[in-house]
C-alpha cells in the first residue's frame, strides 16, 4: 500500500513553478532518408502534444531550447569528439556522414544532428540553471538526441552528447549556484555508461542507474553496469548500479529498489539537486525495453525523490520508444511535479525473486559506504516474491478524476506479453462489496457465450485470471475462483456478428457480438457456463474494461427480475463498455440464461458503418473454432465456415 500526500517536498506555494522545455528544432535530427528508427522525432512530438492536450503544458513555464556552449560540453567530451559533432551536419561532410556514423555503435547522423545535439545538451543546462537558481521548482526537458550512453570520445546508443553529464558539470562549475552535491538517477532501461564514466572518481556526483543487464548481455552489453562497479578513489561508493537479471520488471521491482536502496542512500547523501536521466523505455509496451513500469510506477518513483534537494528536480528525456507509453509516463511525472494530484496505489504484484537477490547484492557491495544499507533485509520481506498476476491501480485527483482514471486505463492499451502486470486494473476487493457478494454467490445463472469464451480455457481466464495463446493481455479473474458447476451447449435464434477494429485483448480484428433481438432465420451456437451471479458480475466488469469500483454489483437481483420482464438490461455504470447490454435468453433447469452484448443502437451503427464491422483476427477466430470443436458442436470445417458466414453476411 502506498499513499503520498500532496505538499511534500519543495515549497509550500500552492502552485509549483514547473518548467517544460520543447523545441521543434530537435526534430531535425533523424535518419538520413527518414528510414524507420525507434529514436525518431515523433517521440518528443508525441510527449509534447500529450502534455498540451492534457492541459499540463499550459500550467508550466514553457522554455525554448538553447545551444550548449562548447566550454561546458568540453567538461565531459574530448575536443576531437566535439569537433566531429559540431561539424558533422555541414555540407562538406555530406559524402562522409554515413560512413562516420557507421563507425559508431547504434548511431545515425544527418544535416540536423549537430544543431539537435547542441540544443539537447544546452536545454538540459538551461532548465538545470533555472531550477538551481530557484526561478523554477522543477523542470522537464523534452530533448533528443538522448545522452546517457555518450562517452568522453564516443557517440553511441542513439546518443551524441551526454546532456545530463554536461548539465551536472555546469551546475558544479557555477559556484554561485551553491550546488555542491548532485544525485543523478538514471531510470532509462539501459545502463548510463557515459554518465557513469564521467563521474567515476567524483564524490560530488552520486550516480545511480537501474537497468536491464542480464549478466552483461543487454545493451550496451558489457560489465560496466554490474553492481560491482561502485566508483574509484574519492568516488568509491558514489556509483550505484542495479542490474536486472531479467526483463519484465515492473512497478513492484522498481519501487522495491527505491525503498531499499535509492531512497535511504539519497537521505544519507542529501543532494543539493537531483537530475533524472528520464528514459521511458522501461515502460510497459516499450519495444526495446521489455519491462513493465506503468505511469503510476514512474509517478511514485518521482514522488519519492521529491522529498530531497528541496524538490529541485530536473528530468531530461533519454530513451523510450513506444509513443503512447512515453507520453503517458511523462504526463504522470508532470502531474507529480505540478502536484495537484495525489497519487495512490495499492499493488499486489511483488518483486521478482531475482529483484530481491540484486537488491541484497547491491546493499552488500555498498554498505561500507552507506551505513543505511548495512542491515540485512528481513526474510519476511524478501520472501514476498511475484506469485500472482494481479495488480491494482487507483489514481485519484481533485479534478475530473473519473475521466482521468478512464483515460489512463484506456490509453495505456499496450500489448503485454507478460503475466505479471497490466491485467485490467479492476478493484474487486473493496470492503463495501463484501455484503453483495455474499448474497449473489448463492444465486446461479447460465452465462451463455458466443465468442472466444466458448473455448473453456479462455473463459476460465475470467474466473481464475491469466491468459491463453493469442491474448495480448491477461485477465484479473473473479474474486470467487471456483470453476463452473456445469457446462452445456444450446443454439438460439440470434445473429452472430464481428465488429470493431481491434480489442485490448486480441489486438487487430473484429470481436464477436450478438444481435440482442432474435430472428427465426438466424442461429447462434452458445456455450453455457453455470456460474454464480457474483462471478457473472466479475465477468461483466472484465468484459467492459472499466474503472468501476465494484462497491455495488453491476447486475443484482433486482436487475434479474427486471430482465425477465423486459428481455434486456443496460448496465449504466459501464455504459461505455462494449458488452454493457445483458440479454435474457430464457430458463434452463429453472436457472436464467444470460448473455452480454452491445445494445441495438450500436447494431444500428454497425449497419450504417459508423462503427466498423470487421472480420476476426486469425488468433481470435481460432479460439472460437477450438471452442466449437472441443465442445463437440461442429467439425473443424463446419466451425470455420460458421465463423466465416457470420463475419461476411451483411447485417
Ligand atoms: N543489437 C537509449 O535508450 N540497441 N539508447 C542496439 C544492437 C541500442 C538505446 C541493439 C539501444 C540504445 C538512449
Ligand atoms: Zn534506453
Amino acid at each position: 500500500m502506498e499513499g503520498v500526500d500532496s505538499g511534500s517536498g519543495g515549497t509550500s506555494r500552492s502552485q509549483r513553478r514547473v518548467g517544460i522545455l520543447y523545441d521543434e528544432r530537435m526534430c531535425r535530427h533523424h535518419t538520413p532518408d527518414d528510414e524507420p528508427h525507434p529514436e525518431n522525432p515523433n517521440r518528443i512530438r508525441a510527449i509534447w502534444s500529450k502534455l498540451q492536450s492534457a492541459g499540463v503544458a499550459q500550467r508550466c513555464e514553457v522554455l525554448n531550447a538553447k545551444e550548449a556552449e562548447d566550454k561546458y560540453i568540453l567538461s565531459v567530451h574530448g575536443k576531437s569528439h566535439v569537433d566531429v559533432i559540431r561539424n558533422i551536419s555541414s555540407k562538406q561532410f555530406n559524402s562522409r556522414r554515413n560512413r562516420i556514423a557507421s563507425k559508431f555503435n547504434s548511431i545515425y547522423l544527418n544535416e540536423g544532428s549537430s544543431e539537435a545535439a547542441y540544443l539537447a545538451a544546452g536545454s538540459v543546462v538551461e532548465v538545470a540553471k533555472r531550477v538551481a537558481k530557484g526561478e523554477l521548482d522543477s523542470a522537464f526537458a523534452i530533448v533528443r538526441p538522448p545522452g546517457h550512453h555518450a562517452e568522453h570520445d564516443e557517440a553511441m546508443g542513439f546518443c551524441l552528447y551526454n546532456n545530463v553529464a554536461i548539465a551536472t558539470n555546469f551546475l558544479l562549475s557555477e559556484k554561485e549556484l551553491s550546488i555542491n552535491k548532485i544525485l543523478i538517477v538514471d531510470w532509462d532501461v539501459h545502463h548510463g555508461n557515459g554518465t557513469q564514466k564521467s563521474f567515476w572518481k567524483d564524490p560530488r556526483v552520486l550516480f545511480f542507474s537501474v537497468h536491464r543487464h542480464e549478466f552483461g548481455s543487454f545493451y550496451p552489453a558489457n560489465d560496466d553496469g554490474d553492481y560491482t562497479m561502485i566508483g574509484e578513489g574519492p568516488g568509491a561508493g558514489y556509483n550505484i548500479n542495479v542490474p536486472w537479471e531479467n526483463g519484465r520488471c515492473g512497478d513492484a521491482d522498481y519501487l522495491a529498489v527505491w525503498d531499499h536502496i535509492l531512497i535511504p542512500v539519497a537521505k544519507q547523501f542529501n543532494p543539493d539537486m537531483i537530475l533524472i536521466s528520464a528514459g521511458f523505455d522501461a515502460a510497459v509496451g516499450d519495444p526495446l525495453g521489455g519491462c513493465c513500469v506503468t505511469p503510476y510506477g514512474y509517478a511514485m518513483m518521482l514522488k519519492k525523490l521529491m522529498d530531497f534537494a528541496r524538490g529541485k528536480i530536473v528530468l531530461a528525456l533519454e530513451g523510450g520508444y513506444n509513443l503512447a507509453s512515453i507520453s503517458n509516463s511523462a504526463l504522470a511525472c508532470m502531474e507529480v511535479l505540478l502536484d495537484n494530484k495525489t497519487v495512490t496505489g495499492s499493488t499486489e504484484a511483488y518483486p521478482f525473486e531475482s529483484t530481491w537477490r540484486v537488491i541484497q547484492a547491491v546493499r552488500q557491495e555498498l554498505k561500507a559506504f552507506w551505513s543505511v544499507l548495512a542491515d540485512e533485509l528481513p526474510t519476511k520481506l524478501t520472501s514476498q516474491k511475484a506469485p500472482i498476476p494481479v495488480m491494482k491501480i487507483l489514481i485519484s485527483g481533485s479534478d475530473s478524476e473519473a475521466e482521468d482514471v478512464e483515460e489512463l486505463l484506456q490509453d495505456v492499451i499496450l500489448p503485454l506479453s507478460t503475466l505479471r502486470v497490466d491485467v485490467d486494473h479492476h478493484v474487486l476487493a473493496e470492503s463495501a462489496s463484501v455484503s453483495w457478494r455474499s448474497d449473489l454467490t448463492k444465486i446461479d445463472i447460465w452465462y451463455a457465450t458466443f465468442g472466444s469464451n466458448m473455448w473453456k480455457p479462455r473463459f476460465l481466464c475470467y474466473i481464475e485470471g491469466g491468459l491463453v495463446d493469442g491474448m495480448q493481455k491477461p485477465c484479473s479473474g473473479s474474486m470467487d475462483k471456483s470453476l463452473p458447476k456445469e457446462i452445456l451447449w444450446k443454439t438460439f435464434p440470434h445473429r452472430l456478428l464481428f465488429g470493431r477494429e481491434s480489442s485490448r485483448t486480441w489486438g487487430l480484428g473484429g470481436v464477436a457480438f450478438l444481435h440482442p433481438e432474435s430472428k427465426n432465420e438466424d442461429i447462434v451456437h452458445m456455450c453455457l457456463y453455470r456460474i454464480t451471479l457474483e462471478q457473472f458480475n466479475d465477468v461483466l466488469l472484465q468484459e467492459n474494461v472499466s474503472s468501476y469500483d465494484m462497491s455495488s454489483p453491476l447486475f443484482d437481483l433486482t436487475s434479474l427480475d427486471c430482465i425477465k420482464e423486459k428481455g434486456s438490461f443496460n448496465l449504466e455504470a459501464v455504459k461505455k463498455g462494449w458488452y454493457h447490454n445483458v440479454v435474457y435468453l430464457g430458463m434452463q433447469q429453472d436457472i436464467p440464461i444470460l448473455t452480454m452484448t452491445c445494445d441495438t443502437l450500436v447494431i444500428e451503427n454497425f449497419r450504417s458503418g459508423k462503427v466498423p464491422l470487421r472480420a476476426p483476427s486469425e488468433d481470435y477466430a481460432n479460439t472460437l473454432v477450438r471452442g466449437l470443436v472441443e465442445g463437440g458442436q461442429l467439425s473443424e470445417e463446419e466451425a470455420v465456415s460458421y465463423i466465416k458466414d457470420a463475419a461476411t453476411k451483411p447485417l
Side-chain angles (χ1 to χ4, degrees), residues 558-576:
T558 319
S559 326
L560 195 55
D561 284 333
C562 179
I563 203 172
K564 286 179 183 167
E565 290 277 324
K566 299 231 170 74
S568 69
F569 185 88
N570 262 309
L571 307 170
E572 259 317 295
V574 294
K575 59 173 183 284
K576 279 195 200 150

Side-chain angles (χ1 to χ4, degrees), residues 105-106 146-149 157-159 188 190 219 281 288 318-321:
N105 174 349
S106 305
H148 72 152
H149 293 307
F158 318 154
C159 303
D188 185 283
H190 303 96
Y219 191 87
D281 43 10
L288 269 58
E318 298 280 1
Y321 307 101

Side-chain angles (χ1 to χ4, degrees), residues 435-648:
S435 58
W436 69 259
R437 286 182 178 277
S438 60
D439 286 330
L440 299 194
T441 193
K442 295 175 196 141
I443 312 292
D444 279 357
I445 58 108
W446 292 102
Y447 167 37
T449 63
F450 49 85
S452 61
N453 284 327
M454 290 189 294
W455 191 44
K456 189 179 165 193
R458 188 272 174 267
F459 171 67
L460 291 186
C461 296
Y462 278 152
I463 301 295
E464 302 179 297
L467 80 185
V468 293
D469 269 357
M471 286 170 73
Q472 302 191 354
K473 202 168 186 326
C475 304
S476 52
S478 303
M479 188 97 104
D480 171 7
K481 295 188 166 45
S482 47
L483 299 178
K485 297 181 183 108
E486 256 184 284
I487 300 176
L488 62 88
W489 288 79
K490 276 176 92 72
T491 58
F492 292 88
H494 281 261
R495 169 68 203 271
L496 176 68
L497 56 130
F498 294 92
R500 304 266 180 193
E501 230 126 6
S502 65
S503 65
R504 284 167 69 91
T505 309
W506 299 96
L508 282 182
V511 288
F513 292 92
L514 190 81
H515 195 308
E517 284 156 16
S518 64
K519 240 203 213 144
N520 273 334
E521 68 256 28
D522 290 323
I523 179 168
V524 64
H525 295 273
M526 296 185 106
C527 180
L528 281 57
Y529 298 95
R530 187 170 156 187
I531 57 174
T532 71
L533 194 48
E534 184 207 358
Q535 290 176 314
F536 185 65
N537 271 279
D538 289 342
V539 176
L540 279 170
L541 185 69
Q542 294 173 80
E543 282 277 25
N544 288 287
V545 185
S546 155
S547 55
Y548 182 67
D549 69 8
M550 274 304 206
S551 51
S552 56
L554 290 162
F555 191 88
D556 60 11
L557 288 169
T558 319
S559 326
L560 195 55
D561 284 333
C562 179
I563 203 172
K564 286 179 183 167
E565 290 277 324
K566 299 231 170 74
S568 69
F569 185 88
N570 262 309
L571 307 170
E572 259 317 295
V574 294
K575 59 173 183 284
K576 279 195 200 150
W578 290 355
Y579 297 94
H580 68 269
N581 184 25
V582 180
V583 174
Y584 175 66
L585 294 170
M587 299 292 279
Q588 173 76 30
Q589 302 157 17
D590 277 321
I591 295 167
I593 306 170
L594 305 176
T595 191
M596 60 188 82
T597 183
C598 58
D599 58 31
T600 46
L601 230 88
V602 175
I603 294 286
E604 246 345 281
N605 289 337
F606 277 132
R607 216 199 300 274
S608 70
K610 219 169 129 193
V611 179
L613 287 166
R614 278 273 184 289
S617 71
E618 217 189 352
D619 277 334
Y620 183 70
N622 280 339
T623 311
L624 275 70
V625 169
R626 271 182 105 161
L628 290 159
V629 174
E630 291 180 25
Q633 299 309 294
L634 299 174
S635 71
E636 189 165 345
E637 300 87 297
E638 289 168 336
V640 169
S641 79
Y642 165 73
I643 302 297
K644 203 174 163 202
D645 281 353
T648 48

Side-chain angles (χ1 to χ4, degrees), residues 272-287:
D272 299 319
M273 195 148 152
I274 300 177
L275 269 57
I276 302 181
S277 263
F280 293 113
D281 43 10
V284 55
D286 190 275

Side-chain angles (χ1 to χ4, degrees), residues 25 65-70 73 114-123 125:
R25 287 178 289 170
K66 263 195 183 159
E67 293 198 7
E69 290 178 45
D70 275 345
I73 299 174
S114 298
E115 190 187 24
Y118 274 85
L119 289 169
S123 298
V125 170

